[in-house]
Amino acid sequence: MTQSSEPVRPLDCDGAFQRLFDFLDKELDAATEQALLAHVQHCKSCFDRAEFERRFKAAVCASRKAQGCPEELRSRVMQALSAEGLGR
Ligand SMILES: [Zn+2]
């Protein structure tokens, strides 16, 4: 194992996308959250994706406030995004 001087490993687009929902749920640790934010700030496509999903999830969660967002819903959102070509 090599030791990195950087505190946070940069994410690629796939990595960012996979962590996006955890980020929206505030389930990421601080370092991963920083890495995700750093990527999104420099990557237009991920920024658009993050913004879209943030609004989508906010809308969904607003209608399910009592229960939060269950895992099943999350995977359905992922499938819907893939169908739209957003999840690649
Ligand atoms: Zn990206």
Side-chain angles (χ1 to χ4, degrees):
M1 275 209 180
T2 53
Q3 196 159 9
S4 172
S5 58
E6 290 177 313
V8 176
R9 302 185 72 197
L11 292 171
D12 58 15
C13 287
D14 286 340
F17 185 59
Q18 284 166 12
R19 288 164 178 79
L20 189 53
F21 282 95
D22 285 338
F23 170 71
L24 294 172
D25 283 344
K26 300 189 182 350
E27 286 172 2
L28 291 181
D29 58 74
T32 309
E33 185 174 306
Q34 285 303 312
L36 178 61
L37 287 174
H39 179 88
V40 168
Q41 280 168 6
H42 293 95
C43 181
K44 179 80 168 82
S45 70
C46 284
F47 178 83
D48 288 346
R49 199 183 264 174
E51 189 60 16
F52 170 80
E53 288 176 22
R54 189 167 63 80
R55 289 185 197 167
F56 184 95
K57 187 167 180 294
V60 172
C61 288
S63 65
R64 294 178 162 247
K65 221 179 275 178
Q67 294 172 341
C69 282
E71 202 63 38
E72 184 198 338
L73 173 65
R74 193 180 299 193
S75 62
R76 256 192 264 153
V77 172
M78 296 291 267
Q79 284 174 9
L81 290 170
S82 298
E84 295 294 325
L86 290 170
R88 253 212 294 172

